[in-house]
Amino acid sequence: MSKNEITPDLVEKVAFLARIKLQPAEVQRYTEDLKGVFNWLEQLNEVNFDDVELEDNVPTLLREDAITDGNKLEDIVHNAPQQNFGMFSVPKVVE
Amino acid sequence: MSNTNLYKGETGEWEVVIGLEIHAQVVSKSKLFSGAATAFGADPNTQVSLVDSGFPGMLPVLNRECVRQAIRTGLGLNCEINKWSRFDRKNYFYPDLPNGYQISQFYHPLVGPGKVLVDLSDGSQKEVRIHHIHLEQDAGKSIHDLSPDKSYIDLNRAGVALMELVTEPDMRSVEEAQNFVKKLRSILRYLGTCDGNMEEGSMRCDINVSVRRPGDEYGTRTETKNVNSLRFMGQAIEYEVQRQIELIESGGSVVQETRLFDPTKGETRSMRTKEESNDYRYFPDPDLLPLIVEQAEIDELRESLPELPDEKVNRYVTTFGLKPYDAQVLVMEKETTQYFEAGLTDIKNKKEGPKLYANWVTGELFGALNKESLGVTESKVSASHLASLINLITDNIISGKIAKDVFGYMWTEGGSPESIVESKGLKQVTDEDEIRTIVADVLAKNDAKVTEYKAGKDKLFGFFVGQVMKAMQGKGNPEVVNMILKRLLNDE
Amino acid sequence: MSLTFKTIKEAKEGLQNKEFTVKELVQEHIDRIEAHRQLNAYVTDTFEQALTQAEQAQQRYNTGEARGLEGIPLGIKDLYCTKGVKTTACSKILHNFVPPYESTVTQNLFDAGAIMLGKLNMDEFAMGSANLYSHFGAAKSPWKNGEKHLVPGGSSGGSAGAVAGYLAMGATGSDTGGSIRQPAAFCGIVGIKPTYGRCSRYGMMAFASSLDQAGPITRSVYDAALLLEHMASFDAKDATSKNVKVPSYAANINKDIKGLKVGIPKEYNMSGMDPEIGKAWEEAQQWLKAQGAELVEVSLPNTQYALPAYYIIAPAEASSNLARYDGVRYGHRAESFENLNDMYCSTRGEGFGAEVKKRLIIGTYVLSAGHYDAYYLKAKKVQQLIRNDFKNAFKDVDVMLTPTTPTPAFTEGEEPKDPVTMYLNDVLTVSANIAGIPGMSVPTHLTQAGLPIGMQLLGPHFREDTLFNVGAALEEVAQFPMFPKQ
């Protein structure tokens, strides 16, 4: 990955993937910033990863199968910007 | 083995290649990562915890029973169990996905390769390989028909545990695909790991379909999403096969894409999703550490598995002498086997009884149930009463023919077969003196026919039997009637 | 002298001895907060609630039922969800969010009798090193360079500013790459990031789940030990929480470090380090040696790769963790939009600040198709190498001593403008997060210009007790001049 691959188009594409609308000035600024950051990240290419084994052997916690939650409609919906019928309301989703 | 299920196109024959991805809801009280309930049909957002609705700072904690259910399923399908597995995040934005990611075992599933034997109508079996089974969360539900310009989000299903079972592309016909699902559903229900209720969405299929010339490499496949009945499965596959064949034969090519089945039209259509939205950016969920399963737990689960359909069929065939097909019919639904086995202990004649009993279950009982659209658990005749009826036959107290009448009374009026036989006077007559009197009477009344018989018209023997039985209202023991008739006709 | 100048230890003694009441203690804090609004430390006040709690706490003192932190007024970083009290992570996207639940850490503190004065300013979603990136404006350090306030550091800038400026007796912070230790060093106070899994993350708004850890910021090592033992717990609601007994950290401090092996990691002597900090580091080593500790040079060869790895792992996790802020269930939703995707994009475009957006774009990019192996996987391997480095080094030493930051605090407006230089603020602290080990900053020196300098102690997993002991020894020799009590 070279810093030259960071273009305003790419920044906009990735911003859409992250669902973030950017103003044109932001696109310019992030393009420059990201070039710097990704250039700096290049140094990881110096590292020799040949014999690196990822240790990942601490087991996750488990819980017993019991109904301990729910029945809190008010808590669930009271912060919602828009709600009706006990449900969250969003612009119509067309499939 | 050559495929006899080929499709004829304009330019020659085509073979369909089918692989399935089946989402089966895990039977558990609470969700995969939260303590909210999983029951079907609750009021919107009442079975939702702050974890399911993606509130800030809320964390998932894995439900041990869901893990055990997935392991049971894997063991029941002859799969390898991976002692080290992990949950990843599948990232995408959608209103019914509160966290903006689904937690799913993308890279390292809990259950590895296995296989299922599918029973086909011609009596043969087909092996379908399982690629893997992984655990994941279900999403919530978007409701589109309450408002012209808004969708509403109910998160009751969000976070419910699913097993996603992925097959190899091993199926070559609609029947193979449908019977695979039937067999799978049957096994999951035996295991108690999924209720298999397709109408309520407990089992949903994504179908990968491609066509090719027999013997060629795989063609480009399409994936049809969320098909929720066997009939729709058949329709979706047939539609895709015809569409793909026509497309290729008219010079086009199949595009690898996701399609949606429209049950009202019986058609599939392209979902035309944007390219970007398919970049799911999978990575290990940092809120969860690896799932590590001990061999002892796998062994314990293996030992506690119930007897599964294939094993039952074998046992029924070898110990009771059932035909494989009949045995398969008996074991397909867990409830049917439960009914069968509940009465089996009451069967007195251990040699002939079980087979006769099985025939009655798949014959008279199924007939009566189908007539009234009842499930076996709703049967008006209990397993022990049906077994008693079989005992009356094998004890020569009633004939098979009378037994059908008795069954009719049992079904409509209730009561034990013994009491019905008693009260209706249907008991079989075996007393030789009594029968001899009636036979003599019949022969006397049919003097001419006796003469013909004696002159060599052997076929008349059946006529005499019928007359005797008629005179006895069907209650004569056939063997005794035959014996006495022969004796008297031959002047012995 | 104002009661606000006391340490927690002193305040507890005063309350026990009936020298003053809880209400007086709380009221003096409230008055001081009101008088120092220019520090912009608090973004939400809970004074009324605090005064009510003060009366209950007083009752407990009166009846001899006082708990471990009874009546102690604290500030809570606005990253911790507090039931019924607005919690925003200092982001516009959560400007109106009122959680119907309490984080485990704050619940633990309240269960020990602590009183919340309000919610503290921070860098939005804990992304920042100077507290310049808050929806509610920058927090300031009470310390000045000439006429200008220093930045308090970040992301727990409000926490450090409040504690240094006597606007709270202690505060909660959170540390993903140095967000407790760096502001503690900048503000001349104590901050500890405990072992990953020591404190529950339940109810703490996530930045990078695998690195985030709660911890206290206080004016003394003893106070930090006391707060941590009441914050930490095993929590079945956090699958990464560890079931390890929480020791009585404060009571166990004896400052006896005779024979203790103190590692000096040679790679931490890096170019770009302020010479005054280098000098302070050497002096601190000699102080420990004079008290009987043995200095051992150790090597952590992959140190320089920790920060780049951090700037892959943390944004990657953040890009996913912050996807839930979509305007559907809570928080900000854009006023106008054309369709669902536009609602998402506008809501998030308006709701997040510049630094958060930048990191979300970085994180989204490194996880996007075709880049996982080049970035995320590589960063995880660097993490493994760094863990191995520490594991090896801790075979030979009990604790390590390093500076907390390569430079002292800068004044507002003089911050580095390019992101990479700004990120270098975390270069000495980030390894502890990458390795999951505990790290503590203790103030030891002032520069000639009068700016605080902090030393960092690093220990093996779950050896916070060692850090407190060595830290207290260091604190005693250093006799660091706290911010003037005026």
Side-chain angles (χ1 to χ4, degrees), chain B residues 331-399:
Chain B
V331 307
M332 181 60 85
E333 292 292 334
K334 186 181 169 186
E335 288 75 12
T336 312
T337 337
Q338 280 171 343
Y339 183 99
F340 177 69
E341 294 191 1
L344 205 51
T345 46
D346 296 331
I347 294 288
K348 286 199 232 156
N349 183 331
K350 297 294 177 199
K351 226 179 141 196
E352 305 295 329
K355 189 173 175 181
L356 187 60
Y357 173 48
N359 291 340
W360 271 77
V361 171
T362 55
E364 288 301 305
L365 181 72
F366 276 19
L369 291 170
N370 285 343
K371 221 172 177 176
E372 299 182 27
S373 298
L374 296 176
V376 71
T377 52
E378 299 160 303
S379 171
K380 295 177 181 171
V381 171
S382 72
S384 67
H385 278 170
L386 185 57
S388 302
L389 184 64
I390 302 305
N391 290 340
L392 292 178
I393 301 171
T394 53
D395 286 351
N396 286 327
I397 294 171
I398 55 172
S399 67

Side-chain angles (χ1 to χ4, degrees), chain C residues 15-134:
Chain C
L15 289 168
Q16 223 110 45
N17 300 334
K18 308 274 156 65
E19 292 163 23
F20 47 87
T21 65
V22 179
K23 197 174 172 188
E24 285 165 344
L25 181 64
V26 170
Q27 190 60 55
E28 287 202 19
H29 277 92
I30 293 172
D31 295 343
R32 192 171 169 91
I33 292 168
E34 298 279 21
H36 291 80
R37 289 291 186 193
Q38 84 281 3
L39 294 183
N40 202 19
Y42 285 85
V43 294
T44 301
D45 301 327
T46 52
F47 296 160
E48 232 170 274
Q49 191 181 318
L51 288 167
T52 309
Q53 281 179 302
E55 281 174 28
Q56 293 160 359
Q58 190 61 50
Q59 279 299 317
R60 285 186 174 256
Y61 275 108
N62 295 346
T63 56
E65 293 166 289
R67 295 162 291 181
L69 294 171
E70 198 71 53
I72 300 301
L74 302 176
I76 302 298
K77 186 175 183 178
D78 206 26
L79 190 79
Y80 293 86
C81 289
T82 41
K83 190 172 182 172
V85 175
K86 197 167 73 172
T87 303
T88 70
C90 290
S91 178
K92 181 180 175 184
I93 211 158
L94 284 173
H95 67 93
N96 55 0
F97 179 64
V98 179
Y101 49 96
E102 191 71 45
S103 81
T104 297
V105 162
T106 46
Q107 188 63 57
N108 287 348
L109 288 170
F110 300 152
D111 287 346
I115 291 174
M116 173 169 71
L117 293 164
K119 304 299 287 290
L120 293 165
N121 206 346
M122 57 185 279
D123 282 299
E124 183 182 0
F125 284 108
M127 298 182 198
S129 311
N131 215 129
L132 298 170
Y133 310 134
S134 163

